[in-house]
Amino acid sequence: MIIIDGKATAAQIKQEIATEVETLISAGKKRPHLAAILVGHDGGSETYVKNKMLACEACGFKSSLIRFDTDVTEDTLLEQVARLNNDDDVDGFIVQLPLPKHISEQRITEAIDFRKDVDGFHPINVGRLSIGLPCYVSATPKGIFELLRRYNIPTSGKHCVIIGRSNIVGKPMASLMIQKELGDATVTIVHSHTQNLKEECRRADILIAALGRPNFVTADMVKEGAIIIDVGMNRNAEGKLCGDVDYEDVFPVASAITPVPGGVGAVTTTILAKHVVEAADKADE
Ligand code: NAP
């Protein structure tokens, strides 16, 4: 039984990026720079942005936080996005979601230069992913892929079932897993309209749960020896952080599993940092 340790993997990736940054600087390039736009004071968003900035700083990057009050207009935000698009010192930037209801997240995302879209949310990056071209991929699915690779878990020819079809997790995860010469897996996506969900899940060699329902996946939904990837970040009735997988129940059936916390969530900010250093490396080309 393998417990896939996201924390240890993240520490290893950060170390590799820090070395890469030093190599860039020794070669006369500038220090990579991530900027983040944060609107309002939502506790969750504050924490996510703080963790992203800390991950970048740990890798030796420069980081800038640009804050706006909740009542900022869409035009002001678009002007800020345009400034960052044109700022040669900024290699990549993110606009932390969700945004207040009066601002179109779609318009803001589409205004970002896709070459600086280190979150991988811009339709150009999404489209490039779907046809197998180099692009920034949403950090969570890419982090999962990285975990599978680093734990030498084969995906080629395996049946991967993904629970959830969101634009930031389920769909890009499926794109990575079916990609020729990358995931090479057979992929099934299940969602809230799927019939026989339990049976579909039981066919999985690799089961990826990304639905946002505490302890949804139980042992009776898992094939003996399956790899279980838990993307969920939920609070249970006692207010404790838990995943979409009932860890205690599924543990004896699985051959590998990601814990929550300390699994998938631990690697995602590191993937963002990886994207920033890639962008910085390309900046002088
Ligand atoms: P989302 O946008 O709410 O999408 C949830 C998906 O799950 C939808 O496709 C939905 O189906 C499906 N679903 C919901 N209830 C279901 C059910 N009972 N049976 C089958 N399918 C069901 O969520 P998300 O943004 O992808 O996030 C999913 C979870 O991952 C959340 O817990 C979130 O906090 C977590 N997350 C973690 C990370 C990380 O880094 N660890 C990053 C992002 C998200 P429909 O499409 O039919 O509605």
Side-chain angles (χ1 to χ4, degrees):
M1 173 64 179
I2 300 165
I3 296 172
I4 299 174
D5 186 341
K7 253 186 168 172
T9 308
Q12 195 187 350
I13 300 173
K14 266 185 218 160
Q15 191 52 54
E16 291 165 10
I17 299 172
T19 306
E20 221 175 303
V21 170
E22 289 319 311
T23 309
L24 281 179
I25 288 165
S26 313
K29 294 203 176 188
K30 71 171 194 64
R31 201 166 277 284
H33 182 182
L34 171 81
I37 298 179
L38 177 60
V39 178
H41 299 278
D42 171 74
S45 294
E46 294 263 358
T47 308
Y48 287 134
V49 168
K50 193 175 120 210
N51 290 341
K52 289 170 187 175
M53 310 301 268
L54 286 174
C56 283
E57 282 161 23
C59 297
F61 299 176
K62 191 171 157 187
S63 64
S64 322
L65 177 59
I66 301 150
R67 304 193 70 127
F68 290 98
D69 283 329
T70 316
D71 61 359
V72 64
T73 64
E74 188 173 291
D75 282 347
T76 304
L77 219 46
L78 287 168
E79 279 162 23
Q80 183 60 59
V81 166
R83 266 198 293 278
L84 292 173
N85 283 341
N86 294 316
D87 184 342
D88 289 341
D89 189 52
V90 171
D91 299 294
F93 66 99
I94 57 164
V95 180
Q96 184 63 42
L97 303 179
L99 292 171
K101 286 202 166 48
H102 65 279
I103 297 171
S104 157
E105 289 184 355
Q106 192 61 34
R107 262 197 292 277
I108 300 295
T109 302
E110 289 193 39
I112 298 172
D113 183 331
F114 76 97
R115 288 159 295 207
K116 291 192 176 190
D117 168 40
V118 283
D119 259 339
F121 295 165
H122 192 286
I124 293 181
N125 280 317
V126 176
R128 290 177 71 92
L129 170 65
S130 76
I131 55 171
L133 291 176
C135 61
Y136 295 115
V137 180
S138 176
T140 303
K142 188 159 169 190
I144 293 169
F145 208 77
E146 191 76 26
L147 283 172
L148 293 171
R149 198 174 64 81
R150 285 177 188 252
Y151 274 83
N152 294 316
I153 295 172
T155 55
S156 176
K158 302 293 177 192
H159 185 196
C160 174
V161 176
I162 301 164
I163 316 177
R165 56 177 166 180
S166 71
N167 291 337
I168 62 161
V169 187
K171 284 184 199 154
M173 189 74 239
S175 290
L176 285 174
M177 288 305 249
I178 57 164
Q179 201 73 247
K180 197 170 172 72
E181 287 162 14
L182 199 58
D184 276 327
T186 303
V187 177
T188 301
I189 302 189
V190 298
H191 47 76
S192 67
H193 293 260
T194 299
Q195 294 180 1
N196 305 325
L197 186 135
K198 190 192 279 191
E199 287 70 23
E200 294 294 346
C201 292
R202 279 185 66 85
R203 290 169 53 222
D205 301 310
I206 302 170
L207 180 62
I208 302 178
L211 71 159
R213 301 280 179 272
N215 302 324
F216 181 88
V217 176
T218 45
D220 58 335
M221 297 165 72
V222 173
K223 179 161 85 176
E224 186 76 39
I227 311 290
I228 307 296
I229 306 292
D230 190 353
V231 185
M233 298 262 255
N234 314 296
R235 297 272 163 199
N236 66 14
E238 292 83 49
K240 220 176 124 206
L241 188 66
C242 70
D244 288 346
V245 175
D246 184 336
Y247 188 84
E248 306 299 332
D249 197 40
V250 167
F251 190 91
V253 190
S255 64
I257 191 163
T258 60
V260 176
V264 173
V267 287
T268 49
T269 52
T270 325
I271 298 298
L272 182 75
K274 224 169 151 50
H275 288 169
V276 177
V277 81
E278 271 171 44
D281 196 20
K282 284 187 211 138
D284 295 344
E285 286 173 7

